[in-house]
Amino acid sequence: MNSFIISVDQGTSSTKTLVFDEKGQVFSRGLAPLKTEYFGDGFVEQDPEGIYQNVLASVRDCIKEFRDKGGQITDIKACGISNQRETFVIWDEAGRPLHNAIVWQCKRSIKICERLKDQGMNEVVQSKTGLIIDPYFSGTKLLWLYENNAAVTTAVDEGRAYFGTVDSWLLFRLTNGQKYFTDYTNASRTLFFNLAELKWDAELLNSFGLSRLKLPEPRPSSSYFGESDFDGIFELKIPIWSMIGDSHAAAFGEGCFSPGTAKATLGTGCSILMNVGELPPASGSGMIRTVCWSSKDRVDYALEGVIVSCGATIEWIKNELGLIKDSMETEAIALSVDNNNGVYIIPAFSGLGAPYWQMNRKASIAGLTFGANKNHIIRAALESIPYQIKDVISAMESDTGIPLKELMVNGGITKNKFVLQFLADLLEKNVVHMGMPDVSALGAAYLAGLGIGLFESIDQLKMLNSRKEVNTPAAHPMVHRSYKGWLEAIA
């Protein structure tokens, strides 16, 4: 008899649902696009009910294909959930949202962040949570709601407001309000979670004026979270055995099982996570400390560098400058010129993330001369991705003394061979690509499979991860000369 795991990957732009077999192979897929509202001065929101219905639509699509291929629903033994991380929902005791979901990209809390820093909060927040005070994380945007939305203010003060990242919101809805949990990775993105103690920090919540806020119980990523029939899609309820933030799920799916292994998700932005084993001291280089992944008997920590603009830079080149019609053209264009001709794009369209954390900085193009043409600009846009990753990896190595072993990559930009080879040459390390587009869903499935015993151990998962494409570094002095120019341009 076959055994399967269904994995829901709830992302910013869509929800993907996949069914994996016991060998970690995809049996069926489903996809449902998700609408996001962009408005005001950097405001970004989603409809909480829309997120939930989006998940159901994706699951229905996946299960239809599963049945069409002859799958038996009773062979699906568990569910895993990965989710867009810092996005959060706040709702009442009846499960009614008090406001739209505030998306991780939202910048509405910049002034609140400045105020908290002026009050001297940054050091205590960093020491307790591993994070810096920044609009990227959930907590300051919740403070904005608390200070600007009367319904939220009243509900919080009366102890009726339920806070949760998307995983908690989905679990609450999927279990009809019976289960209110989160996992350590999602909790560690809120500014409320004590990394060393693995629990909500009462002192921080009190200092924020949120002591009466209801918060989900944190658990290891691979845990029993409840069961659901997904609003009648399944005749029998499916146990949910993992919940984890999508970047952390990708790290686990890629095989970041030991210190020095790292992954970079090359999407609209870029999240670089390096497994560092035990909880490291506070970073002196702008790195975030976070939980990498966890099981019932193990918690691995990570350093993370968040790059704000990665693929978004290529989309800007296409949509706003009109230099290309399709991002797939960029590889050949970049290779058509020998170098970037001294042209650098500083992609601070929404500020610069790690290790700079200059959120008010604007994007710029440096080094333009009459000798530069559009091909150099396009190549500079692509090169800005490896340069930023190199900046982050160098900071991580400096902070921990742990050298990078190899870098696993995933995301849409991994289709660009120029970027991957340039990155390998720059890092002087192997850049490894599994060729699996849905690695977050895979990581959540692996964790659920460990929970129910479908996978015996991490050693077994290493065997399942054996098929990989490797970009090996070549001696390329020009790459390092170009990086020196990048450091001068960004300074």
Side-chain angles (χ1 to χ4, degrees):
M1 184 178 72
N2 295 321
S3 293
F4 297 94
I5 293 172
I6 188 166
S7 187
V8 177
D9 178 25
Q10 200 298 298
T12 311
S13 59
S14 66
T15 298
K16 301 174 184 178
T17 302
L18 292 86
V19 172
F20 293 92
D21 64 19
E22 63 268 24
K23 296 181 180 179
Q25 298 300 301
V26 178
F27 188 85
S28 64
R29 281 187 173 91
L31 173 68
L34 179 63
K35 183 179 180 180
T36 303
E37 298 287 347
Y38 298 89
F39 61 97
D41 187 14
F43 285 39
V44 189
E45 296 182 358
Q46 290 175 336
D47 173 24
E49 182 63 24
I51 295 173
Y52 176 63
Q53 294 299 329
N54 184 252
V55 166
L56 296 181
S58 175
V59 172
R60 287 190 194 97
D61 193 31
C62 180
I63 291 302
K64 181 181 184 302
E65 181 176 298
F66 181 78
R67 285 193 168 112
D68 289 346
K69 289 185 172 182
Q72 300 295 316
I73 296 298
T74 53
D75 290 339
I76 298 177
K77 303 302 182 184
C79 172
I81 296 174
S82 66
N83 60 283
Q84 52 172 317
R85 297 181 298 172
E86 294 81 7
T87 300
F88 72 90
V89 182
I90 188 162
W91 65 95
D92 65 17
E93 62 273 17
R96 293 184 296 258
L98 297 169
H99 192 273
N100 275 346
I102 308 296
V103 180
W104 59 272
Q105 298 161 309
C106 187
K107 301 295 183 185
R108 72 183 65 197
S109 62
I110 287 176
K111 290 184 178 179
I112 287 177
C113 292
E114 292 171 351
R115 185 184 77 207
L116 293 173
K117 290 176 184 177
D118 289 342
Q119 293 171 354
M121 287 290 294
N122 201 51
E123 185 175 344
V124 67
V125 166
Q126 189 172 30
S127 66
K128 287 173 173 285
T129 71
L131 310 178
I132 63 172
I133 294 175
D134 188 85
Y136 186 81
F137 305 109
S138 313
T140 60
K141 287 174 284 198
L142 176 61
L143 277 177
W144 187 97
L145 275 187
Y146 179 70
E147 295 176 7
N148 291 274
N149 184 293
V152 171
T153 306
T154 301
V156 170
D157 289 345
E158 294 179 354
R160 298 186 293 103
Y162 290 70
F163 168 89
T165 43
V166 170
D167 59 318
S168 298
W169 166 244
L170 291 176
L171 183 68
F172 194 90
R173 289 300 308 276
L174 288 169
T175 61
N176 296 313
Q178 297 302 304
K179 301 297 181 183
Y180 185 40
F181 301 126
T182 189
D183 91 299
Y184 296 154
T185 67
N186 280 294
S188 72
R189 314 303 298 183
T190 62
L191 292 174
F192 303 148
F193 189 69
N194 190 303
L195 272 185
E197 298 178 4
L198 296 174
K199 66 181 184 180
W200 301 114
D201 194 285
E203 182 182 353
L204 281 178
L205 288 162
N206 187 60
S207 66
F208 291 140
L210 299 172
S211 59
R212 300 202 66 193
L213 181 69
K214 290 189 179 297
L215 293 160
E217 178 188 324
R219 291 188 169 188
S221 308
S222 180
S223 298
Y224 176 71
F225 288 95
E227 56 184 27
S228 176
D229 64 4
F230 284 76
D231 203 26
I233 295 175
F234 300 100
E235 292 182 8
L236 300 175
K237 291 182 177 181
I238 304 293
I240 298 168
W241 266 94
S242 74
M243 296 202 308
I244 184 170
D246 52 9
S247 286
H248 310 262
F252 196 80
E254 291 274 12
C256 294
F257 302 140
S258 61
T261 53
K263 74 89 194 174
T265 298
L266 307 180
T268 302
C270 178
S271 164
I272 303 165
L273 276 174
M274 178 189 279
N275 188 319
V276 295
E278 297 181 354
L279 178 63
S283 168
S285 308
M287 294 298 107
I288 292 162
R289 296 181 299 157
T290 189
V291 176
C292 189
W293 54 268
S294 55
S295 61
K296 63 182 179 180
D297 53 4
R298 179 173 169 180
V299 178
D300 277 30
Y301 289 90
L303 286 183
E304 179 176 15
V306 175
I307 295 170
V308 180
S309 294
C310 186
T313 307
I314 311 305
E315 289 300 298
W316 179 78
I317 290 286
K318 175 171 71 78
N319 297 332
E320 303 304 328
L321 297 190
L323 298 184
I324 54 174
K325 292 182 179 179
D326 191 307
S327 60
M328 298 300 291
E329 302 172 32
T330 58
E331 179 184 326
I333 291 172
L335 291 169
S336 73
V337 290
D338 291 334
N339 54 58
N340 64 13
N341 200 18
V343 177
Y344 293 92
I345 291 181
I346 310 301
F349 297 96
S350 296
L352 283 177
Y356 301 99
W357 290 109
Q358 299 172 4
M359 299 313 292
N360 290 321
R361 186 163 175 172
K362 306 298 183 184
S364 60
I365 302 178
L368 288 175
T369 66
F370 284 127
N373 59 41
K374 73 172 189 178
N375 292 353
H376 296 120
I377 294 174
I378 292 166
R379 177 164 175 145
L382 291 180
E383 287 183 0
S384 72
I385 299 168
Y387 292 150
Q388 291 180 96
I389 294 172
K390 169 70 172 176
D391 290 344
V392 169
I393 294 294
S394 296
M396 289 177 173
E397 292 178 327
S398 175
D399 278 346
T400 64
I402 299 173
L404 176 72
K405 292 180 179 177
E406 61 181 5
L407 181 68
M408 278 76 83
V409 293
N410 63 84
I413 296 173
T414 56
K415 296 175 183 176
N416 192 304
K417 292 182 173 59
F418 169 81
V419 170
L420 295 193
Q421 189 58 50
F422 196 97
L423 181 57
D425 295 345
L426 185 60
L427 294 175
E428 298 181 306
K429 302 287 184 179
N430 286 346
V431 172
V432 182
H433 180 219
M434 287 176 61
M436 167 60 176
D438 302 305
V439 70
S440 292
L442 178 64
Y446 279 169
L447 287 161
L450 284 174
I452 64 170
L454 181 62
F455 305 123
E456 294 180 2
S457 65
I458 285 176
D459 286 337
Q460 183 185 358
L461 297 181
K462 290 178 182 177
M463 299 297 294
L464 297 179
N465 272 358
S466 59
R467 295 183 303 279
K468 299 176 180 178
E469 299 175 10
V470 180
N471 288 79
T472 57
H476 215 314
M478 182 276 297
V479 170
H480 297 286
R481 286 197 299 270
S482 296
Y483 180 61
K484 183 178 179 181
W486 160 264
L487 293 175
E488 293 171 354
I490 204 165

